[in-house]
Amino acid sequence: MMQVETCRAQSLGKTERDTWRSFQAADASFASPYFSLGFLDAMAAVRRDTRVLVIREAGAIKGFLPFHKGALGHARPLGGPLSDHHGFIAAPGTRFDLEAVLKAAGLKVFDFFGAIGTQTAFRDHAQLVDGSWVIDLSAGYNAWIETRSAVEPKAFRNLRARRRKLEEETVSFKFRIQDDRPEVLEKAIEWKSRQYRRTSHFDVFSVDWTRKLIDTLVKGGLDNASGLVSSLEVNGQLAAAHVGMRSDTVLHYWFPVYDPEFSKLGPGLNLLTEIARTLSGEGLREIHLGPGEYDFKRELASWQFPLASGYVAAPSLLGAARQLADHIEDAAERLPLGALSTLPGRAFRRIDRFTAFRVA
């Protein structure tokens, strides 16, 4: 008989936390910092709607599902739109019925958009299956370079050419893989916000909790999750920066940005490859680039793991409204209206994204 308890992160005791750590350590698919207790604690510190479902059978803990609890029983994954990866945290091979878990917790709708695709609980309800790109450093930096160079020779020739430009056409350059200077973090966020606005994307740093989350992660002291700010200076001027999050073995490539003035030097890619070179010597096994059809991800990545996006709606007014929105979007996309057929879906996604960033 399954029992599901909804808890705040702060109320998880030693038994729960030790069990969580054992689940994460036993399954390589949970190596991302997104699945660490540290990320849960950081989110709980900046968002009051952070919760965890603790799932038990006969008193034994079978799994956890961290999430954000919205109005009227609407739930979203931990980290909301900032979370590229999420899912149940459980022992290898454990299977859950997502609808049954949510019903037991009293949740009416659960929207997910980057759940681990190998978990049938999410895959069975997926409207979209994507993939997250991975740089595999488990055999070392040189092995990654050799393997990917053989597959993508042109891309890696371009990488080497940009490195030569950096070395030959600048007075000086300096990488800082862990850059603790506050002004670098400030500049990176300023540049990223400007990029979001320029490209008509929602500025994730326009809400308070996202910046507080970065500050909490960078401050450190969390359980297997920490912020990492890296930078490249050219001729004494900041040329590129990356604000990421790492666990013991995985770096999540999160917020890269560079100054267009230095674009011919490939500052972003030079910084990324230097991060890979340095951290692979310190035990890092993977860099997760996240989903998205970008050339640099396809060229640099060793492989992908599947991600599932979709929703589960229980019989309720909220569930009916969520299903109606999905039917409207689907019907519109079937009409022969060209770009106009995508307008309802784009509007719904914009509203949902805006709502997801607001704390209940």
Side-chain angles (χ1 to χ4, degrees), residues 265-288:
L265 300 174
L269 287 175
N270 268 310
L271 179 56
L272 174 56
T273 53
E274 190 65 25
I275 289 171
R277 184 199 308 273
T278 302
L279 295 185
S280 67
E282 299 176 7
L284 195 81
R285 297 179 62 82
E286 296 175 357
I287 298 178
H288 290 178

Side-chain angles (χ1 to χ4, degrees), residues 237-249:
Q237 185 176 342
L238 185 65
H242 171 250
V243 180
M245 176 174 62
R246 67 165 297 179
S247 63
D248 291 338
T249 59

Side-chain angles (χ1 to χ4, degrees), residues 27 140 151 171:
D27 193 330
V151 178
V171 175

Side-chain angles (χ1 to χ4, degrees), residues 95-251:
R95 293 174 178 264
F96 295 104
D97 181 328
L98 183 56
E99 289 182 286
V101 170
L102 298 179
K103 181 179 179 181
L107 297 174
K108 306 303 182 186
V109 173
F110 189 87
D111 274 292
F112 55 93
F113 34 80
I116 299 299
T118 54
Q119 295 189 354
T120 57
F122 296 98
R123 193 174 66 236
D124 290 346
H125 298 280
Q127 278 76 51
L128 175 68
V129 177
D130 201 348
S132 183
W133 301 95
V134 178
I135 291 176
D136 186 351
L137 299 170
S138 59
Y141 175 82
N142 290 335
W144 166 65
I145 290 288
E146 291 173 9
T147 301
R148 293 308 299 162
S149 294
V151 178
E152 297 284 352
K154 181 179 178 181
F156 278 77
R157 281 198 302 271
N158 289 338
L159 275 180
R160 290 190 293 271
R162 289 177 178 180
R163 179 66 184 225
R164 284 196 300 272
K165 274 182 173 286
L166 186 64
E167 294 172 346
E168 297 171 0
E169 299 183 15
T170 64
V171 175
S172 65
F173 66 90
K174 183 173 184 177
F175 292 104
R176 288 185 174 90
I177 303 304
Q178 183 166 339
D179 195 330
D180 296 325
R181 295 175 297 172
E183 62 270 23
V184 172
L185 177 57
E186 290 290 340
K187 181 60 72 173
I189 290 177
E190 176 190 330
W191 283 354
K192 200 66 182 178
S193 290
R194 193 181 303 161
Q195 178 186 342
Y196 284 132
R197 294 192 297 269
R198 185 177 64 251
T199 56
S200 299
H201 284 79
F202 180 82
D203 179 6
V204 304
F205 294 109
S206 65
V207 291
D208 288 342
W209 70 264
T210 56
R211 176 55 199 269
K212 291 178 181 176
L213 174 65
I214 298 299
D215 289 341
T216 300
L217 289 166
V218 169
K219 183 179 178 181
L222 299 167
D223 192 329
N224 200 20
S226 60
L228 181 70
V229 181
S230 304
S231 67
L232 166 61
E233 285 184 353
V234 174
N235 300 336
Q237 185 176 342
L238 185 65
H242 171 250
V243 180
M245 176 174 62
R246 67 165 297 179
S247 63
D248 291 338
T249 59
V250 171
L251 171 69

Side-chain angles (χ1 to χ4, degrees), residues 322 324-333 339-353:
R322 179 64 182 85
L324 177 61
D326 190 55
H327 292 327
I328 291 173
E329 180 180 350
D330 184 61
E333 290 181 351
L340 291 176
S341 65
T342 66
L343 289 178
R346 288 161 57 191
F348 286 138
R349 286 189 290 273
R350 185 178 292 271
I351 292 169
D352 184 69
R353 191 169 179 80

